[in-house]
Amino acid sequence: PSTRLPCGSRVLDLSRPQVMGILNVTPDSFSDGGQHASLDAALRHAAAMAAAGATLIDVGGESTRPGARAVSPLEELERVAPVVEAIARELDVVISVDTSTPAVIRESARLGAGLINDVRSLARDGALDAAADTGLPVCLMHMRGEPGDMQNDPRYENVTEAVFQFLSERMAACAAAGISPERVVLDPGFGFAKTLAHNLSLFKHMERLHELGRPLLVGVSRKSMVGQALGRDVDERLYGSLALAALAVAKGAHILRVHDVAETVDVVRMIAAVQAAE
Ligand SMILES: Nc1nc2[nH]c(SCC(=O)O)nc2c(=O)[nH]1
């Protein structure tokens, strides 16, 4: 695939791995404890992540951790829009908006977002058209069901093949809606409708997804797969998250969605130093 990804007014250089900093603007986000609910705190956090080397900031107004309660489109818009507008004004980063809501997709694009990141792969009514109309790239991610029920005994014959098939189908749906494959980024959806065994197997066989011919985005930072594999609480998952970041880069991932930007940037730079050697 081309190593350049146009993201609105900016271009992302995917010839090297890019780090996407997570900015939760939800009152119940599991790892930030909703501390970024206020706009200036959110902007300060985004600025710190950009300074640490994040080239994308992922703004999410809906917590999609297992069991999270639903948020109304208006409430989601009120959380997200001011933050997108402020970051677009203040920072030189690609703004990714983590949303499934057509109104938020449209308004965020108008305010300067450069990437639509929908964990539901534009399944909601109007989402495909909204994303198509923005002209922005979109990240499609594998999930089954909803955050409220997705962890109720998920089963797969072969989880990697199921993810491959799902992403292939969603890319086709995008193409049919006028979103060309060149605008698509793919994501295995770690932690969404998957057991630990599913997450580990999917990670092990992640290279299979390169056969779809699109950049890969990987989000495993501080997730339960690290917690369950190591027996660590959410604020003790840095080392496990960095191990997975390194392995994802080794497996050809293009974008890493993380909480701990500075640490992950050093992992990426160290790997790049070795790969650049004679
Ligand atoms: N594209 C993409 N978007 C995401 N949004 C979340 S929210 C849950 C959490 O951060 O634990 N995860 C992901 C992910 O893995 N990929």
Side-chain angles (χ1 to χ4, degrees):
S2 159
T3 57
R4 298 171 75 259
L5 184 74
C7 298
S9 59
R10 291 182 170 79
V11 177
L12 214 48
D13 169 16
L14 295 184
S15 66
R16 64 183 62 195
Q18 301 295 330
V19 175
M20 169 191 269
I22 298 169
L23 187 66
N24 283 324
V25 290
T26 60
D28 68 345
S29 59
F30 80 100
S31 70
D32 293 332
Q35 73 203 33
H36 299 306
S38 72
L39 178 58
D40 59 318
L43 187 55
R44 269 201 306 275
H45 188 51
M49 291 193 286
T55 49
L56 303 97
I57 301 291
D58 192 39
V59 181
E62 175 204 9
S63 175
T64 49
R65 57 178 172 67
R69 60 171 187 73
V71 58
S72 75
L74 180 61
E75 191 179 351
E76 186 185 356
L77 189 60
E78 286 172 350
R79 291 175 189 171
V80 169
V83 177
V84 171
E85 186 174 35
I87 295 173
R89 187 178 58 238
E90 305 284 336
L91 303 178
D92 180 18
V93 291
V94 171
I95 303 168
S96 165
V97 179
D98 194 336
T99 186
S100 303
T101 307
V104 177
I105 290 172
R106 292 184 185 280
E107 184 64 5
S108 299
R110 194 183 66 76
L111 293 170
L115 173 73
I116 303 300
N117 173 30
D118 182 5
V119 298
R120 296 181 179 83
S121 294
L122 302 172
R124 284 208 176 134
D125 284 352
L128 275 170
D129 289 340
D133 290 350
T134 67
L136 293 179
V138 299
C139 180
L140 305 176
M141 193 198 80
H142 175 269
M143 171 163 72
R144 271 186 185 165
E146 283 290 324
D149 62 12
M150 67 184 179
Q151 292 305 114
N152 297 344
D153 192 21
R155 293 169 181 257
Y156 301 91
E157 183 69 21
N158 174 325
V159 63
T160 303
E161 290 312 306
V163 169
F164 181 96
Q165 190 56 42
F166 174 89
L167 293 174
S168 179
E169 287 163 5
R170 293 314 296 162
M171 271 181 78
C174 282
I179 302 171
S180 71
E182 290 70 42
R183 285 170 53 188
V184 169
V185 172
L186 300 174
D187 184 329
F190 291 106
F192 290 87
K194 298 171 185 80
T195 63
L196 174 61
H198 293 142
N199 286 315
L200 294 175
S201 178
L202 181 58
F203 202 102
K204 178 176 181 178
H205 301 290
M206 179 190 329
E207 291 93 334
R208 165 83 165 121
L209 301 180
H210 289 316
E211 294 172 41
L212 290 167
R214 298 307 305 152
L216 287 190
L217 189 154
V218 169
V220 289
S221 178
R222 300 186 192 171
K223 283 193 173 175
S224 64
M225 71 185 279
V226 174
Q228 290 164 355
L230 303 179
R232 296 278 189 262
D233 289 337
V234 68
D235 49 3
E236 267 110 35
R237 294 176 187 170
L238 172 58
Y239 305 150
S241 299
L242 294 177
L244 292 182
L247 195 50
V249 170
K251 286 170 174 278
H254 299 84
I255 301 171
L256 304 173
R257 181 180 178 277
V258 304
H259 301 87
D260 307 290
V261 171
E263 297 87 338
T264 307
V265 167
D266 271 6
V267 168
V268 168
R269 291 175 58 209
M270 195 67 249
I271 293 171
V274 170
Q275 289 177 336
E278 288 298 308

